[in-house]
Amino acid sequence: MGAEAPTGSLSASQLYAALKRDLIGGRFATGQKLAITALKQHYRVGLSPLREALNRLAAYGLLEQESQRGFRVPALKRTELDDIADLRQRFEGQALEQALEAGGDEWEAGLLAAFHRLKRADEVSGQLDHWEQMHLQFHRHLLEPCGSPWLLRFIEQLHDQFDRYRRMAPANDAVRTMLNDQHGQLVDLAMARDIAAARGLLEEHIRLSYEVAQGACQENRRSGGSNEGGSEREGGSVPGA
């Protein structure tokens, strides 16, 4: 009764992906309580699939579930960002070492292709969503041969949490250029199988992006409204690690 999704609405998996993308991209203000009625209208879905998606996102850490009071967007806290960045450095460093030991010719070819797609996306302004997809694919492919599905799952979850901060941080063109250059350097070191240098650069890559992402923390920003529609690459979001 009232729980069925309207005709032409998103599937359950599409709804989860759309909500996840909007939460990471900053569509909703930090601390904002999500209005079920407004979400149903915006995503054109019924109550049951919406609650299922919200529960999944709460379990994933992108929402906070309040007992009998619905769901709220988590705050952007410096202590949490510190923890996320530290774990990213450790987990991704370990995964990179294992990937460089195990990756073969097919992986090398795929990594070069992923880097060239990322580089082309960076040359086109105004297409943030496409750049973000290419950026995610590059980092996924870099670590893919590590041999540990669980490690990769943890890394992806940390990456999503980190991106909430990165995309809401003030733009920094100088850092953006450095981070983009480091993608190419990571490819060169991966091809040379220079494990120590590659791990050091990846950790520096994450640290540099972390320094910018701090600008999104509530301790460093004045309170404001929601960032409807997400950030533009030149105006708010900082491409990075």
Side-chain angles (χ1 to χ4, degrees):
M1 300 266 289
E4 295 302 318
T7 303
S9 64
L10 300 176
S11 68
S13 60
Q14 289 173 329
L15 173 60
Y16 173 79
L19 274 165
K20 181 180 176 184
R21 180 176 62 248
D22 288 345
L23 285 165
I24 294 172
R27 179 179 179 84
F28 306 101
T30 59
Q32 177 182 346
K33 184 176 179 180
L34 300 185
I36 298 297
T37 300
L39 292 176
K40 286 170 61 179
Q41 293 174 349
H42 178 77
Y43 294 102
R44 301 186 63 229
V45 294
L47 181 59
S48 291
L50 178 59
R51 285 200 174 278
E52 179 183 344
L54 293 174
N55 281 317
R56 286 181 62 191
L57 288 163
Y60 193 69
L62 289 175
L63 284 175
E64 294 176 348
Q65 188 169 12
E66 301 177 320
S67 179
Q68 305 300 320
R69 298 179 65 182
F71 298 85
R72 190 177 298 277
V73 180
L76 298 173
K77 299 178 180 178
R78 171 67 180 273
T79 54
E80 183 175 88
L81 177 61
D82 290 349
D83 193 23
I84 292 167
D86 177 65
L87 288 172
R88 279 198 62 194
Q89 286 184 318
R90 286 194 272 167
F91 287 1
E92 292 184 41
Q94 178 183 338
L96 181 61
E97 287 192 11
Q98 295 172 194
L100 294 188
E101 291 172 351
D105 292 344
E106 185 175 344
W107 168 73
E108 288 187 359
L111 181 61
L112 287 171
F115 171 65
H116 286 304
R117 288 193 295 269
L118 175 60
K119 190 174 181 180
R120 286 199 300 269
D122 191 61
E123 293 169 353
V124 180
S125 63
Q127 294 189 18
L128 175 61
D129 286 344
H130 178 62
W131 184 91
E132 292 288 358
Q133 291 173 10
M134 297 302 100
H135 180 243
L136 178 59
Q137 288 181 17
F138 171 79
H139 279 277
R140 277 179 175 169
H141 194 89
L142 180 65
L143 307 178
E144 191 174 41
C146 78
S148 174
W150 276 106
L151 181 56
L152 293 176
R153 287 173 195 165
F154 291 145
I155 287 170
E156 182 158 352
Q157 186 172 3
L158 289 167
H159 200 279
D160 286 341
Q161 292 290 343
F162 188 90
D163 271 3
R164 289 186 63 232
Y165 293 81
R166 177 177 64 81
R167 297 195 198 187
M168 293 297 291
N172 187 317
D173 290 340
V175 173
R176 183 180 73 186
T177 299
M178 293 173 64
L179 290 166
N180 287 340
D181 289 345
Q182 286 177 346
H183 290 133
Q185 295 166 19
L186 281 169
V187 172
D188 291 341
L189 292 172
M191 294 299 169
R193 293 298 199 274
D194 191 334
I195 293 176
R199 177 164 188 166
L201 180 59
L202 181 59
E203 291 174 352
E204 171 64 14
H205 188 65
I206 295 169
R207 186 199 62 78
L208 189 60
S209 190
Y210 155 78
E211 288 189 357
V212 177
Q214 291 178 47
C217 296
Q218 62 184 26
E219 298 92 339
N220 299 334
R221 292 171 65 95
R222 289 177 296 179
S223 60
S226 82
N227 184 27
E228 282 295 324
S231 306
E232 292 301 322
R233 193 156 102 211
E234 291 79 12
S237 178
V238 180

